Each structure stands twice: as C-alpha cells, then as structure tokens.
Amino acid sequence: MISDSEIFKAKILMIDDQRENLDLLDGILRVHGYSNLLFTSEPLEALGFYKKHSPDLILLDLNMPGLDGYQIMAQLKIIENYAHPPILVLTGDSTIETRKRALQEGAKDFLNKPFDQIELLSRIRNMLEYWLLYKQVLDQNKILEEKVQERTAEIQETQLETIQRLSLVAEYRDDDTGMHIKRMSQYAAILGKTSGMKEEEVKLLFYAAQMHDIGKIKVPDQVLLKPGKLTPEEWEIVKSHTVLGARILSGSRSKLLQLAELIALTHHEKWDGTGYPSGLKGEDIPFVSRICSIADVFDALTSKRPYKEPWPVEKALAEIKQLKGVNFDPELTELFLNSMDQVLTARKQYKN
Ligand code: C2E
Ligand code: SIN
Ligand code: SIN
Ligand code: FE
C-alpha cells in the first residue's frame, strides 16, 4: 500500500498558460498537504520540465497557445514508449467531443473548470495511488529479476561443484587425495591460456578436464589398484575407461559436458596415431585433448600411482621431451615446457 506521506511527497506537474489557474491549483494542493509542486505556464517548456523532474502526475490544460494539451500528450507518448504518469485534464471546454478526444489521446481523467475542490483532490489522490503502486510493482519486478540472476549464478556454481565432486568419486580410488585431478586441470588451464584460448574457453576446459577419467569408475579395483604390470586383458579393461567415460557424459545439452565427453574419449590418443581408443593422429585429435594429454602424463609421471613411484621433475621433463611428436603435439609440448614456472607453482599449491 501507498502511505499518506508518499502521496503528499509525490511530484505534481501543472501545465496551464494562465498563471492565475496555476496559482489557484498550487494553493489548493499546498493547503491539503502536497509539497512537491511544479508548474509552468509555458507549454513549450513543459516537456523539458517533464524530462528534468519525472513527475508522478500531470495536471494539463487543453487550450494553450504554441503547444496545446493534445500535442503535449502526443509527445509524452513518444518520450515514454512504455508508460507515462497519469494525466488529469482540466479544461473549460466541456463538450463530449473534447472529453472523448482527451481520453483517447492519453488523459487518465477529466475535470471541467471551474472544478469542485473535493472532486479535484479525490481524483488526484486516486491517480497518485495508482501510479505509485505501479512504480512499486516495477521496482519489485526489477528486484526479483536481480534475485533470479543471482540464483542462476549460484546454481551454476553448485553445478560446477557437483561435477568436481563426482569426478573425485572416480579419482579417489587410485589417488586417495584427489590432487591428481586438481593439478592436471590446473596444468591444462595454464596450457590452454598460453596457447591463446579465450578466457571463457579456458574456464570450460578447466572444469571439463576434471572429468577426463570419470570412466575409471567402471574399472574394477583389482585392475585399477594393481601394484604391478597389467595383463593384456586387464589393459583392455583400462583402455575402455575412455569410451565408458564418454558414454557417461554423452547426450548433454551443456557445452561443458559436451567438452568433457570429447576429452574423456580422446585424452589417450597420441600424436603419432598409436593411442587409444581410435588411433587418431596429429591434428585429428581435438586440441583440448592434446592439451589434456600433456597435463595428464606430466602429473602421472611426477606423482605416485598405484603401479609406480613419483619421478623427479627433471626426469619427467626429459620424458615429456622424448614424447614430443610421439605422444604429444610438438608445439603444445614446447609451450608447456616454456610455462614450467607456472606449472610448478600450481604443483606446489596442490601438493598431496
Ligand atoms: P594414470 O596412472 O593416471 O596415467 C596416465 C598416463 O600417464 C598414462 O596413460 C601414461 O600415458 C602416462 N604415464 C604414466 N606412467 C608412465 C610412465 O612410467 N612412463 C610414461 N612414458 N608414461 C606414463 P596410459 O598409459 O594410457 O594409462 C592409463 C591408465 O591406465 C593409467 O592412468 C593407470 O590408471 C592405468 N595403468 C597404466 N599402466 C598401468 C600399470 O602398469 N599398472 C596399473 N595397475 N595400472 C596402469
Ligand atoms: C587413465 O586414463 O586411466 C589414466 C590416465 C589418465 O589419468 O587419464
Ligand atoms: C602400459 O601399462 O602398458 C602403459 C603404460 C604407459 O604407456 O606408460
Ligand atoms: Fe585417462
């Protein structure tokens, strides 16, 4: 509801070419508590006045030299294509035609001069109540809209967190701290950025990379956690984590999950065409997967895995260089080696 104090504070603009009419209106309104009164006897200045002060109600004379009341209403409609404050027309011309035309052209209500004070005050009050309520609803809609946007951002954060936690479910089995995923996705993001990907794409890559091994959830413990070398049968099972992961992630409308599906499927393809599951070669391997492959192997080498001890960084770097052009895209390998400062900083940050 609109309180009395809001009503009496509302801005009322009076437009009449005759000063004495303005003085009369001003006097009546002031006596009855209205305090925010603006008036002009220059019709040509009325619109400038309107724009400057954004009144809540307009009291408008119809017959004026220069610009009459109809023309002012027409221009108001152009200025405010959505909604303008209510207009109360006050005129000495009481014919039916005039009333009709005034209402048609945008007046909310109509009073003949000389007007009855009580009637004038009651109409002004009604119109102000209507307009202030309308403005309140508009404000509330705006607040609601902002809240919805906040909620949407929150949901996205929650979704990303859920994805990270689910990725960890698969990862915890052969990496009990889950740090492999954290480091690997950091390295992938660093390489993505260095290789010129846009910020938004790097962010997608960062989250999608965390799901690269989600298919391991289907690899039995006795294989995944086996301390020694795998039998050929076991190796076939391990290799299927790519296809299984892609299947888990497939069919989504989300760009993030589509990217994750692609990475899950192709992160073990090798530059020379000897990787799995498809034996893709060179630039047929998706760019993001060429990035993830380097990030993944560097972290596997420098970390403890169920089947191997961690290698010193120097030894791992020598291995990465050996694998340039064999497992890895040669240009991306160089970029990765050149980003070693950032990579090692991230490695320190996510130490087991
Ligand atoms: P992972 O342990 O996360 O290793 C990821 C990738 O790092 C490997 O993919 C491989 O490309 C690279 N990598 C790891 N250790 C070495 C290494 O000593 N030398 C070189 N050059 N590269 C290494 P890959 O080979 O496709 O293996 C996929 C997954 O299969 C591994 O993920 C791991 O879960 C499993 N796996 C591989 N070899 C063995 C093994 O001997 N025993 C067991 N239990 N699991 C294995
Ligand atoms: C695997 O693919 O199962 C291990 C290699 C990786 O971390 O992607
Ligand atoms: C395998 O165990 O056969 C693969 C290990 C590797 O490529 O490093
Ligand atoms: Fe993998």
Side-chain angles (χ1 to χ4, degrees), residues 278-291:
S278 307
L280 296 179
K281 199 172 174 169
E283 290 185 356
D284 287 345
I285 305 166
F287 188 70
V288 283
S289 291
R290 283 181 260 150
I291 286 178

Side-chain angles (χ1 to χ4, degrees), residues 212-213 216 241 267-268 296:
H212 74 284
D213 266 348
K216 278 188 180 171
H241 82 279
H267 71 279
H268 286 295
D296 185 26

Side-chain angles (χ1 to χ4, degrees), residues 171 174 180 184 212-213 216 224 238 241-242 267-268 276 296-297 300 305 307:
E171 185 66 16
D174 65 343
H180 169 58
M184 179 277 186
H212 74 284
D213 266 348
K216 278 188 180 171
L224 193 66
V238 164
H241 82 279
T242 50
H267 71 279
H268 286 295
Y276 61 91
D296 185 26
V297 172
R305 309 301 281 150
Y307 58 95

